[in-house]
Amino acid sequence: MLQLLEKRPEAHEDLEMERYIQAAEQIKEDVMEEFRKINPHIAPNRILKEMPNARTVMDNIEIVIRNAAKHKIFSQRVLNGKKSSLDDADLIAAYLTTSDAESYNDSLLALSCSRRTCYFLFVSRYNNFSLAERAKYIDNLLTQEKICPDKSITLFNIKKELVGMMMEGNPTYFSIQKLVHSYMEALLDLLLAQKKIYQCEYELNRLFIQYLKELLQGEFDKDKIVTSCLKPLIHVFIGLKKRGLDIPPIKGTLKSQSVEDIVEELKGHQQNLQKEVEILSDVMDFLQETLVNIVESNKPKKPEEEISLSKATLSLSEKFSEKFAAWLGL
């Protein structure tokens, strides 16, 4: 997920606005996926034909996001030109999906590993890591641990409600807009919790790396490790292995080369965590912007905010791709 593609600078505005297309498609796909889980007896290619409201719901999800994109342009918001980690065309969809539990499970693994590291730093008293510091990190982790399942349930219930609209009732644009807005709000909260977990993991790992480096200073001596700390230390290594790090097996004794290898693995992992936090921040910025534009797209335009259709079309033809202009319907 973290591998980014190089993009030509002049394509940045295209990519920034086409995130709206990707967001609309991903939300629709996730709702459809939920429909298929609830109704496995209906063939995927028959859903839009057999469910009279299905196309109405799908179309209106897209219209909600499209109107948000239009508002961004027609209110003459200036594109900031900032290089974004989301300039990889597939990245926004990977982080907006709620059908794939991979990122959710990864954040829970990070949380578990951080607890082990925090406990070790406390019992080792490394760098005067106090009870108050331990409480600060654990309280933060516990808060995020509660938020993650809570927001995941909220997202599931919203998808379920949209699926219900596909099957019966009289879905309207504004009822779907309200659900899409709530969906994106819950997703924003979930991603914020995941970001805080990774930030916490990064900070604890930084202290842990310092500890391991001090072990290696001068002549390596495993006796530098207090006996009461050895078991918690091994638990940290086990947690890191579960996180996907290549941790060498510790058989009987801790060797200098093993510690050096673990330090190098952790350095690479820290870089990945930094990149993950950067991407999550960019996704969250996009979600926050979209939420604002969804709300403001309902408000009457002031005369000074209006842009003539011909001027808007000209602007789009100069700034954005034909794909995006066609999606906007201009």
Side-chain angles (χ1 to χ4, degrees), residues 149-327:
D150 179 63
K151 296 305 173 182
S152 295
I153 291 170
T154 299
L155 288 164
F156 169 76
N157 287 335
I158 294 172
K159 286 191 291 185
K160 196 172 177 181
E161 193 168 347
L162 286 165
V163 168
M165 286 183 170
M166 292 169 67
M167 299 172 68
E168 60 185 8
N170 183 30
T172 65
Y173 171 80
F174 288 107
S175 64
I176 292 171
Q177 183 193 59
K178 182 178 178 181
L179 288 173
V180 171
H181 189 274
S182 297
Y183 182 90
M184 298 185 87
E185 275 187 324
L187 182 55
L188 179 60
D189 290 341
L190 176 61
L191 295 181
L192 176 59
Q194 292 177 338
K195 175 184 172 180
K196 288 182 177 179
I197 289 171
Y198 291 132
Q199 288 174 322
C200 187
E201 182 186 18
Y202 181 88
E203 291 172 14
L204 291 167
N205 281 350
R206 179 178 56 79
L207 290 172
F208 187 58
I209 289 171
Q210 289 176 3
Y211 168 84
L212 293 178
K213 284 182 175 180
E214 287 187 16
L215 281 183
L216 295 168
Q217 286 177 0
E219 184 177 349
F220 178 77
D221 183 1
K222 67 179 185 303
D223 292 332
K224 289 180 181 178
I225 305 171
V226 179
T227 304
S228 61
C229 298
L230 188 56
K231 188 174 180 180
L233 179 61
I234 299 300
H235 282 172
V236 174
F237 293 154
I238 292 171
L240 291 171
K241 194 172 184 67
K242 288 180 179 179
R243 286 288 281 128
L245 277 69
D246 186 13
I247 303 298
I250 310 299
K251 297 180 179 178
T253 186
L254 194 60
K255 297 180 180 178
S256 174
Q257 186 59 54
S258 297
V259 175
E260 290 175 4
D261 292 344
I262 291 170
V263 168
E264 289 306 308
E265 274 291 298
L266 275 167
K267 286 180 180 178
H269 184 56
Q270 290 290 83
Q271 290 178 348
N272 287 340
L273 285 175
Q274 281 185 308
K275 183 58 67 177
E276 189 75 8
V277 167
E278 177 188 334
I279 294 172
L280 284 168
S281 296
D282 285 341
V283 175
M284 289 165 56
D285 286 346
F286 169 75
L287 286 171
Q288 287 171 327
E289 173 190 274
T290 306
L291 285 166
V292 169
N293 286 325
I294 286 174
V295 172
E296 293 188 357
S297 66
N298 290 331
K299 297 177 180 178
K301 302 271 190 310
K302 296 178 182 178
E304 61 268 24
E305 292 177 330
E306 293 289 353
I307 300 177
S308 68
L309 180 60
S310 59
K311 184 177 179 181
T313 304
L314 176 62
S315 177
L316 283 170
S317 65
E318 292 173 346
K319 285 188 175 181
F320 304 116
S321 65
E322 290 182 9
K323 174 185 175 182
F324 181 69
W327 182 74

Side-chain angles (χ1 to χ4, degrees), residues 2 22 36-37 52 67 75 78 84 91 97 109 130 141 196 225 237 248 250 256 268 273 275 297-298 309 314:
L2 298 176
Q22 296 158 13
R36 290 192 288 268
K37 289 178 183 177
N67 285 345
S75 62
V78 178
S84 169
L91 212 47
T97 182
L109 277 174
S130 65
L141 290 170
K196 288 182 177 179
I225 305 171
F237 293 154
I250 310 299
S256 174
L273 285 175
K275 183 58 67 177
S297 66
N298 290 331
L309 180 60
L314 176 62

